[in-house]
């Protein structure tokens, strides 16, 4: 399977999984339901605009609540609830099994919820999916969940205040072209490889290929819990991020993804470290 085909396969699966009823998460409703009773009414607006941390909710409490959420979601989603919601005429059903779409549906719902708990902005624009976000943040989240080498470092680097500060000095187009997009493209390809040649989680012997295979409830539970916790830990670590962490993560990206490193990458990294 070529790299381009692997990228396209992952994007197609994500796009279709997000169409399944119950996968999309309404950010405002989720935040109010999760944190509404923890803060005063006058801070609800801050919660919705800037996220739980800015609304005054302690990071340790968010982390603890995220752990509980992962346990709850993996237990309740290990059955066929998502598969049951797939319409009979579902566009991808003939080529990508409902089980695979179900698995990604569970992962994507959990990824959205964890992202909102840790302060990420809405992944949807006026109820419509932003395809750029599919090709960006959601692939990055899945990369971390699947344990793709370098993806956790990439998520922390690209979501850090250092990167946000750098955008004021470095043209956003340059930052996206030299660091963001090459990393996302690489992660998408590696997820594709992992889907065809590897298991969904270490220790699980059943291989799930792209074009066939059954995801049992037990497999969904065993793997999704590990996947969710990988993303939770990475997002939690991002809350206490320093320039030293940034340098360490950039070194990690270079080690795991050496083929994306070029002179432009090095120049942008240097400018980011100055910010």
């Amino acid at each position: 399977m070529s790299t381009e085909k692997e990228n396209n396969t992952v994007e197609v699966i994500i796009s279709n999984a997000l169409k399944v009823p119950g996968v999309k998460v309404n950010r405002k409703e989720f935040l109010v339901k999760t944190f509404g009773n923890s803060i005063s009414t006058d801070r609800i607006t801050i919660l919705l605009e800037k996220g739980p941390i800015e609304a005054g909710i302690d990071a340790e409490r968010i982390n603890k609540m995220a752990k509980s959420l992962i346990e709850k979601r993996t237990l309740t989603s290990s059955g066929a609830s998502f598969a049951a919601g797939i319409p009979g005429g579902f566009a991808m059903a003939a080529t990508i099994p409902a089980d695979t779409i179900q698995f990604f549906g569970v992962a994507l719902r959990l990824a959205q919820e964890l992202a909102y708990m840790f302060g990420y902005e809405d992944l949807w624009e006026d109820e419509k999916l932003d395809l750029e976000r599919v090709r960006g943040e959601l692939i990055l989240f899945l990369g971390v969940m699947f344990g793709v080498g370098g993806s956790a470092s990439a998520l922390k680097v690209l979501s850090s205040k250092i990167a946000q500060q750098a955008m004021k000095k470095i043209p956003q187009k340059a930052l996206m072209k030299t660091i963001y997009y090459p990393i996302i493209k690489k992660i998408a390809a590696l997820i594709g490889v992992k889907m065809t040649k590897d298991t969904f989680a270490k220790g699980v012997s059943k291989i799930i290929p792209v074009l066939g295979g059954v995801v049992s409830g037990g497999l969904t539970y065993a793997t999704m819990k590990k996947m969710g916790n990988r993303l939770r830990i990475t997002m939690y670590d991002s809350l206490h991020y320093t320039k030293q962490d940034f340098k360490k993560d950039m070194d990690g990206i270079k080690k795991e993804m050496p083929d994306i490193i070029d002179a432009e990458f090095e120049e942008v990294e240097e400018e980011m470290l100055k910010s």
Side-chain angles (χ1 to χ4, degrees), residues 30-39 47 52 57 62 65 117:
F30 173 72
L31 287 177
V32 171
K33 184 177 180 180
T34 305
F35 299 107
N37 293 329
S38 305
I39 57 176
L47 173 70
I57 299 170
I62 293 172
M65 292 173 76
M117 291 183 84

Side-chain angles (χ1 to χ4, degrees), residues 136-257:
E137 286 175 313
L138 286 174
I139 285 179
L140 200 50
F141 294 160
L142 287 175
V144 175
M145 295 175 90
F146 273 89
V148 171
S151 57
S153 292
L155 179 59
K156 288 184 280 187
V157 162
L158 295 171
S159 64
S160 69
K161 290 183 179 178
I162 294 170
Q164 292 165 20
Q165 285 293 322
M167 283 186 187
K168 297 175 183 177
K169 296 166 50 180
I170 306 168
Q172 186 171 352
K173 188 176 179 181
L175 188 64
M176 294 292 183
K177 175 177 174 285
T178 57
I179 291 187
Y180 193 83
Y181 291 129
I183 288 174
I184 298 301
K185 188 175 181 181
K186 182 71 173 178
I187 289 172
L190 290 171
I191 292 173
V193 170
K194 205 168 183 66
M195 287 168 62
T196 55
K197 296 181 180 177
D198 201 355
T199 58
F200 275 128
K202 191 174 181 180
V204 180
S205 60
K206 195 179 184 90
I207 296 175
I208 312 296
V210 173
L211 302 179
V214 176
V215 180
S216 69
L219 177 61
T220 302
Y221 174 76
T223 60
M224 199 61 63
K225 184 174 181 180
K226 184 175 285 187
M227 288 169 68
N229 279 314
R230 282 189 188 123
L231 187 58
R232 173 188 61 79
I233 291 166
T234 301
M235 289 181 169
Y236 176 71
D237 288 346
S238 299
L239 298 178
H240 313 282
Y241 206 64
T242 66
K243 192 161 283 191
Q244 287 72 31
D245 293 327
F246 178 87
K247 184 68 173 69
K248 180 181 176 183
D249 284 326
M250 287 299 282
D251 288 343
I253 292 168
K254 291 183 208 177
K255 181 180 177 182
E256 295 287 348
M257 306 177 184

Side-chain angles (χ1 to χ4, degrees), residues 87-161:
F90 197 61
M92 297 305 300
T95 54
I96 299 177
D99 309 82
T100 301
I101 295 171
Q102 175 200 347
F103 188 93
F104 273 83
V106 175
L108 289 166
R109 174 173 175 153
L110 184 55
Q112 290 171 81
E113 292 177 327
L114 289 172
Y116 297 151
M117 291 183 84
F118 285 99
Y120 280 76
E121 295 179 1
D122 206 327
L123 293 163
W124 302 77
E125 289 285 342
D126 299 322
E127 300 299 310
K128 293 180 181 178
L129 181 65
D130 184 341
L131 290 178
E132 283 301 309
R133 305 292 281 277
V134 169
R135 299 186 184 101
E137 286 175 313
L138 286 174
I139 285 179
L140 200 50
F141 294 160
L142 287 175
V144 175
M145 295 175 90
F146 273 89
V148 171
S151 57
S153 292
L155 179 59
K156 288 184 280 187
V157 162
L158 295 171
S159 64
S160 69
K161 290 183 179 178

Side-chain angles (χ1 to χ4, degrees), residues 49-67:
E49 288 181 358
K50 299 183 178 180
I53 291 285
E54 296 293 333
I57 299 170
D58 182 70
E60 294 300 329
R61 183 173 185 186
I62 293 172
N63 194 37
K64 186 176 180 180
M65 292 173 76
K67 285 183 186 177

